[in-house]
Amino acid sequence: MHWHQKNIDEVIEDLRTSLQGLSSDEAKVRLDEYGPNELKEKKKKTPFMMFLDQFKDFMIIVLIIAAIISGFIGDIIDTAAIMVIVILNALIGFVQEYRAEKAMAALKKMAAQFAFVIRDAKPTNIPASEIVQGDVIVLEAGKIVPADMRLIETVQLKIEEAALTGESVPVEKSTKALYDKKLPLGDRKNMAYKGTVVSYGRGKGIVSATGMDTEIGRIAAMLQGEEEVKTPLQKRLANFGKRLAIAVLAICAVVFGIGIMRGEQPLLMLLTAISLAVAAIPEALPAVVTISLAISAKKMIGQNALIRKLPAVETLGSVTYICSDKTGTLTLNKMTVEEIWVDGRITKGSRGRGVEGSSEKNLEPLNPRTLEPLFFTALALSNDANTDVNGKIIGDPTEVALYNIAKDNGFDKESLEREFPRAAEIPFDSDRKCMTTIHNGARGRGQGAGENLTLDPKPLTLSFTKGAIDVLIEKSNNILTSDGLKPIDANEIHKINERMSADGLRVLCIAMRKWDDLPDDIAPENVESKLTILGLVGIMDPPREEAKEAIALCKSAGIKPVMITGDHPITARAIAMRLGILDDDSKAIITGRELEKLPMEEFEERVEHIRVYARVAPEQKLKIVKALQDKGQFVAMTGDGVNDAPALKRADIGIAMGRTGTDVAKEASHMILLDDNFATIVKAVKEGRRIFDNIRKFIKYTMTSNSGEIWTIFLAPFLGLPIPLLPIHILWINLVTDGLPGLALAAEPVEKGIMQRPPRHPQESIFAHGLGTHIIWVGLLMGFVSIFTQAWSIETGHAHWQTMVFTVLCLSQMGHVLAIRSERESLFKQGIFSNKPLLAAFALTFALQMATIYVPFLNPIFKTEPLSLDELFITLALSSVVFFAVEVEKYWKRKKS
């Protein structure tokens, strides 16, 4: 039912009620029929089931099997390490999921506990859950609206609807029927919605919907119905785990079979194959991922981004679209006077705090001495903004902007009111579209222009009126110029208005009238007539300077910034043009009304080309997110209201506002902007890309190491050589090289040019961009160097050949980890000390490896023998081959690019 379209009598008839409310008996019948006025939750998983679900991931299952096998062959340390990693990973996942369930709880908190209802023709205070359709509710300032209702009485009633509609200022309500069926929630002035707050005045309404049938109930249903999508990393790692498990089983079966065919002992080959299987599984991967994400999340708090769900850190690096609210995120969230038109000239206002507009060159500098003092006096006095005890200016955002520009030019409201005290006022209303204040007792404060408007020494009374241009032109007789009073040129004023409006400014007209005494009849038709126009003022919430730079960075990174606003398309276009979001392309703008009419299929054809959504209702954000995701895009979406919550939950990255965001939006989000600034999102994207780069480096490092071990054991029998490594050697290399050096890669600084490359394709494999090729050829090289060491040592009669192979393979991996710190840059250019944790891990691993060779009691444990100085030198030289080979590869990459 579109209750806003119906008049009061129709509403009473359709809801079978009266202005005296329902009877108690009828209310009880309806409560039994429709149920309580509460939000219902779907059945939740128990915490225990949530915890068990964390072990369903394929990679985790592979690790658990690896832990069991390690325990079976007697490697208790490896078993314990793997199980610690698995349980830690499960605990983190459990905490994330458990916290995500709080969005509904936050939504419920918005509900009123009690409400004043007229029952049996008497006002009664009842629990809000007992309200039924047809009840008459009494609304008062400070009260939460307990249900959706059609208003039947309003006395200066204003309701704060920002959480529901995104409207930043309280909405003035009325009782008139509104006949537009497609009217957005924010424009339904005769309706009040559950969960919103009465900020001023009083009123009454007939309940039209309760519980899950309310607008907030509809959001609750959407919130519970929207499943969170898996992050790119989660998808890639799951796919990686499956492929890895199959490959490992196949290779181990081949190694075991070949060993048996060559006559090796079955038990030795079984242990070797099992050890190889355990070594091939990168058990440190979940730990590296979790630690990398946690370190970055902590770092990002210092950059004003609070990460609520750890995988979100990496997902930021995959983002292809950032859909951002305009107000406060792309703009300063501070209405500012940008332009003033007085005496036939457009001059600057408070420009300079935001991004400069294209019309800057046409503006004259602001010089208060050349402007009429009456104009700034009018801006200061015809104004309800004031300073509180802490010196903060409070009031309507537009009034605050006028207060500030007047004060900046030497016209302080508090000082002026001592000379021009307010004697009467006619408040603004939506029918008249203007407001007036009347001041008497004014004395001379300088000479004004125009004979009839001289501020002479004797007391006089002045009225100042501000409002819509069309309205004030009709109410005015003349205009004030430096040459005195002139007839109004309506065409010229309209042209100036169009010019200022085209720049996205909200334009107000300022007028005045001189009186001999305070008028007896303070009626609008008497006071707001025979006015003199003083000028025009253009106001806007200007773009942030840093947002313009961030958008340019987005574009260079291949990310498409999209602006979403409830503002007028002209304002939206102007801001988008100034920020660089929009080129001069009218097809890239769409309004909420056009979006509502578009079928999903047709919208999906256009969605990738749209850059500005104007007059969009917050609930339409969900449609935008789904359309972009259906086209294979990764979407970051910002929001602060209750209506934004479903879209925030569905988006690949939901970003809530820290300052203005509701608890519901924050609980549904993945990340919270503590400063509500678009530039912070771009910093977070940069960090996300760094994290993914470092995870890729770890995979490159650990899988190449594992590949080297596999090739060494796999190829030796084909060349007529004995098995080069024992199970203890494989497990030791796996333990010391995969652990600390791999974790230290998480601290690798950001690479140069990281924001000058396009986002990763959503379907891109983790082995893309040559990673898979690198693992194969460098692994083969490691294997070749190890087998060469073995063959040469045996051929030249070195009895310690197995210790040499063991050491070459271990230290080759250390050389490799240093070489892959950057995809392109040489280690010598990066500087060996630029990742100190990695340097420390390298030194510790080298020391531990030397200990296995030269500490006597470790020799029988690791089946090693001390190397001579010559053998050690040869071993170190051969271990450096991989490092220099990878450095040559990077040199060719740089030369190619």
Side-chain angles (χ1 to χ4, degrees), residues 445-472:
R445 189 191 149 97
Q447 190 74 16
E451 185 182 345
N452 296 330
L453 289 167
T454 302
L455 295 184
D456 54 40
K458 73 176 186 178
L460 57 93
T461 299
L462 296 173
S463 65
F464 295 110
T465 303
K466 67 171 184 278
I469 290 172
D470 290 345
V471 172
L472 263 63

Side-chain angles (χ1 to χ4, degrees), residues 270-433:
L270 178 63
L271 290 174
T272 301
I274 290 172
S275 299
L276 202 59
V278 172
I281 301 294
E283 65 266 25
L285 182 58
V288 168
V289 170
T290 301
I291 290 168
S292 300
L293 297 177
I295 290 170
S296 286
K298 187 176 179 183
K299 179 182 174 184
M300 287 164 71
I301 291 174
Q303 298 174 346
N304 291 313
L306 176 64
I307 300 296
R308 292 190 65 256
K309 297 170 187 175
L310 273 187
V313 178
E314 182 277 331
T315 310
L316 283 159
S318 301
V319 162
T320 56
Y321 275 77
I322 300 178
C323 300
S324 174
D325 284 330
K326 176 184 74 71
T327 305
T329 309
L330 292 168
T331 64
L332 294 171
N333 196 20
K334 180 182 180 183
M335 295 300 283
T336 306
V337 174
E338 294 258 302
E339 294 178 4
I340 287 167
W341 181 75
V342 173
D343 197 17
R345 299 190 317 276
I346 294 180
T347 57
K348 291 186 208 176
S350 303
R351 196 186 282 276
R353 297 171 194 171
V355 177
E356 298 297 338
S358 58
S359 57
E360 177 74 14
K361 61 187 178 184
N362 301 322
L363 303 176
E364 297 180 25
L366 187 62
N367 183 352
R369 285 174 297 185
T370 64
L371 294 170
E372 192 57 56
L374 278 172
F375 183 77
F376 287 110
T377 301
L379 295 186
L381 290 175
S382 186
N383 196 318
D384 289 329
N386 284 294
T387 53
D388 63 13
V389 289
N390 299 315
K392 183 183 176 183
I393 304 165
I394 53 174
D396 178 86
T398 299
E399 304 245 285
V400 170
L402 301 179
Y403 178 102
N404 281 329
I405 189 68
K407 189 170 184 176
D408 289 348
N409 287 283
F411 292 80
D412 180 63
K413 180 183 175 182
E414 284 72 22
S415 301
L416 284 169
E417 280 186 331
R418 287 194 286 271
E419 300 178 58
F420 296 76
R422 187 181 293 192
E425 64 183 273
I426 307 172
F428 176 88
D429 72 48
S430 51
D431 293 328
R432 291 175 19 258
K433 296 183 180 177

Side-chain angles (χ1 to χ4, degrees), residues 317 319-320 556-559 689 753-761 769:
V319 162
T320 56
S556 72
I559 300 167
R689 290 189 173 191
I754 199 167
M755 292 299 280
Q756 273 71 56
R757 67 191 192 205
R760 301 184 301 277
H761 191 278
H769 305 296

Side-chain angles (χ1 to χ4, degrees), residues 463-667:
S463 65
F464 295 110
T465 303
K466 67 171 184 278
I469 290 172
D470 290 345
V471 172
L472 263 63
I473 286 175
E474 290 295 320
K475 295 175 182 288
S476 300
N477 287 350
N478 46 41
I479 185 169
L480 181 64
T481 72
S482 53
D483 297 325
L485 296 174
K486 294 282 182 72
I488 293 170
D489 185 343
N491 286 334
E492 183 192 5
I493 294 175
H494 283 305
K495 280 181 185 175
I496 296 298
N497 177 37
E498 287 169 10
R499 144 75 178 76
M500 291 168 79
S501 297
D503 274 355
L505 303 182
R506 180 190 174 200
V507 186
L508 292 176
C509 186
I510 312 298
M512 67 165 288
R513 182 175 173 182
K514 178 182 173 184
W515 303 80
D516 292 329
D517 294 295
L518 185 70
D520 295 327
D521 181 11
I522 314 282
E525 53 273 17
N526 179 43
V527 175
E528 293 170 351
S529 63
K530 302 178 184 177
L531 302 177
T532 296
I533 291 175
L534 299 177
L536 307 180
V537 60
I539 304 166
M540 85 171 346
D541 177 14
R544 291 176 180 265
E545 186 63 55
E546 64 271 28
K548 187 175 184 180
E549 294 167 11
I551 282 163
L553 192 58
C554 268
K555 288 184 167 182
S556 72
I559 300 167
K560 297 177 177 66
V562 173
M563 185 172 86
I564 299 176
T565 178
D567 269 350
H568 194 278
I570 293 174
T571 306
R573 181 189 177 86
I575 295 282
M577 294 277 285
R578 280 169 66 169
L579 285 169
I581 291 174
L582 191 66
D583 299 321
D584 195 12
D585 180 5
S586 58
K587 290 182 182 176
I589 301 180
I590 189 171
T591 64
R593 188 163 289 193
E594 292 170 323
L595 180 58
E596 192 175 359
K597 292 175 184 174
L598 272 183
M600 196 64 173
E601 298 76 24
E602 195 177 329
F603 177 47
E604 284 182 5
E605 288 175 16
R606 289 184 57 189
V607 69
E608 292 178 301
H609 305 289
I610 298 169
R611 296 291 173 270
V612 177
Y613 294 86
R615 280 281 189 241
V616 169
E619 62 267 23
Q620 289 178 313
K621 287 183 176 182
L622 186 59
K623 185 175 182 179
I624 297 167
V625 170
K626 285 182 175 178
L628 285 168
Q629 287 177 337
D630 287 348
K631 298 296 283 185
Q633 303 296 341
F634 270 85
V635 186
M637 173 70 77
T638 71
D640 55 9
V642 174
N643 258 18
D644 294 326
L648 293 179
K649 186 176 179 183
R650 174 61 189 240
D652 297 284
I653 288 287
I655 304 170
M657 301 296 110
R659 292 179 179 174
T660 58
T662 59
D663 286 345
V664 182
K666 289 174 185 175
E667 292 295 346

Side-chain angles (χ1 to χ4, degrees), residues 33-73:
E33 184 179 350
Y34 298 112
N37 177 34
E38 293 174 338
L39 300 182
K40 296 184 179 71
E41 289 189 64
K42 66 179 181 183
K43 191 177 179 183
K44 286 198 245 179
K45 278 193 285 189
T46 64
F48 179 68
M49 287 306 298
M50 276 186 204
F51 183 69
L52 285 185
D53 280 350
Q54 308 308 315
F55 296 95
K56 290 181 180 177
D57 184 82
F58 190 83
M59 192 71 190
I60 297 298
I61 293 168
V62 169
L63 287 176
I64 291 170
I65 294 168
I68 293 167
I69 293 170
S70 294
F72 173 74
I73 63 173

Side-chain angles (χ1 to χ4, degrees), residues 8 137-140 149-159 171-176 188-192 198 200-206 429-431:
I8 294 171
I137 307 292
V138 178
L139 299 175
E140 295 174 334
M149 60 189 72
R150 171 66 165 85
L151 296 170
I152 57 172
E153 180 185 307
T154 60
V155 180
Q156 294 186 318
L157 180 65
K158 290 184 180 180
I159 297 180
V171 179
E172 186 179 359
K173 295 295 182 177
S174 65
T175 59
K176 292 179 184 175
R188 297 179 188 179
K189 302 292 177 66
N190 56 12
M191 297 291 294
V198 179
Y200 190 77
R202 56 188 171 82
K204 289 180 185 175
I206 298 176
D429 72 48
S430 51
D431 293 328

